[in-house]
Amino acid sequence: MTHLNIEKEAMSAQSPNGMIIHRPPFIIHHFTSLSSTNDQLKAMADAPEFTCVVADEQTAGRGRRARTWYSAPGDGLYLSILFLPRNDSSSRLPLTGLLAAVAVAETLIERGVAGVDIKWPNDALAGGRKISGVLAEAVSVGPESLRLVLGVGVNLNHRSFPSELSESATSLAIETGERVIVEEFRDRLLEKIAQWYELWRRGASASIIDRWSRLSTYARGKHVVVMIEDEKLTGVTDGLTETGALRLVTDNGAVRTILAGEVTKLRTGADLSLRHSSA
Ligand code: BTN
């Protein structure tokens, strides 16, 4: 019997903490349905580092900026991981989201997805459409310790999306024409996250930034709009700082360092003329 069969059989005997699967260093708690894997993991107060929560579906999956994350049953990977970073690493925390996006992009490429890109900070795209997102939430527990819940959603076997997402979202199955076994994708992604997290823990920020920059067309020379709350900036990207912030040379020549914001690619002249000629 394969580990996948064992997982399916045991699912009927789900405990309040889900079905437990060991994938060192991770301990996975698998649930058939949850409101949000991030919320479940945050509620597991005494969980050790590398505890993971995975669900086949989320009824209230959350994205960044109070958005919802479409979490159809069985089609996607909905995963949250608990890290316990040392307090003195707080300036490097944004890099954990970046390293998760790197691990997702690498796993998608390995599975044959073409045109994989990363949009700053953590969105994996395929053919310009969103295929994965990361929601990192840090909870401080006393002066000395920090609990970081890193939530990762990956669209895997979706054949279609609700109409409001159909232009902007894609999945591995749409891109490759093939379905994947969610548990196999999960385990490979976890291996990669563990490798990149170990580098992060040892302070190898430059390796993460270098890999992110090689996987992302947004790293340099991309003309973008950045929304920072109510402020709208347009400019050209100019690399990341050592803590993962985005450098932007604005259209009026100022250099800005963006710590948090929503980046959108500006349509080029070529894109615009194509649109007009087909209208
Ligand atoms: C985004 O791009 O806005 C982030 C999406 C993050 C979605 C994942 S799915 C698993 C985890 N649980 C949640 O409720 N959200 C994250």
Side-chain angles (χ1 to χ4, degrees), residues 16 19 30 59 99 181:
M19 187 189 58
H30 180 280
T59 54
L99 76 82
I181 297 170

Side-chain angles (χ1 to χ4, degrees), residues 25 27 30 35 37 44 46 53 55 76 110 131 141 147-148 168 173 186 190 196 206 244 246 248 254 268 272:
I27 299 172
H30 180 280
S35 54
T37 56
M44 293 163 66
D46 298 324
V53 170
E110 236 178 54
I131 193 165
V141 279
R147 298 170 76 79
L148 175 70
S168 59
R186 174 199 71 197
L190 284 175
W196 283 110
L246 180 67
L248 186 77
T268 62
L272 281 170

Side-chain angles (χ1 to χ4, degrees), residues 105-128:
E106 290 180 339
T107 311
L108 290 169
I109 292 166
E110 236 178 54
R111 297 284 154 154
V113 179
V116 173
D117 198 355
I118 306 176
K119 182 166 82 74
W120 187 87
N122 310 321
D123 290 353
L125 311 179

Side-chain angles (χ1 to χ4, degrees), residues 1 47 55 77 86 91-92 124 131 180-181 195 210 228 235 242:
M1 197 182 252
L77 176 63
R86 287 197 343 230
S91 67
R92 297 187 300 116
I131 193 165
V180 284
I181 297 170
Q195 287 162 7
D210 180 60
I228 310 164
E242 61 186 15

Side-chain angles (χ1 to χ4, degrees), residues 65-186:
R65 305 185 180 278
R67 295 193 189 116
T68 57
W69 184 258
Y70 178 64
S71 308
D75 279 345
L77 176 63
Y78 317 116
L79 162 80
S80 300
I81 307 169
L82 180 68
F83 291 120
L84 303 179
R86 287 197 343 230
N87 238 17
D88 62 4
S89 56
S90 59
S91 67
R92 297 187 300 116
L93 277 186
L95 289 174
T96 57
L98 268 59
L99 76 82
V102 162
V104 169
E106 290 180 339
T107 311
L108 290 169
I109 292 166
E110 236 178 54
R111 297 284 154 154
V113 179
V116 173
D117 198 355
I118 306 176
K119 182 166 82 74
W120 187 87
N122 310 321
D123 290 353
L125 311 179
R129 294 176 189 216
K130 185 152 165 171
I131 193 165
S132 169
V134 175
L135 177 66
E137 298 181 299
V139 189
S140 170
V141 279
E144 288 303 308
S145 41
L146 193 65
R147 298 170 76 79
L148 175 70
V149 172
L150 201 69
V152 184
V154 191
N155 300 332
L156 295 176
N157 293 323
H158 307 62
R159 290 289 177 188
S160 62
F161 287 89
S163 54
E164 66 276 15
L165 294 176
S166 60
E167 290 291 302
S168 59
T170 190
S171 72
L172 184 145
I174 292 170
E175 296 301 315
T176 64
E178 284 174 21
R179 295 173 63 85
V180 284
I181 297 170
V182 175
E183 292 80 0
E184 286 182 6
F185 190 95
R186 174 199 71 197

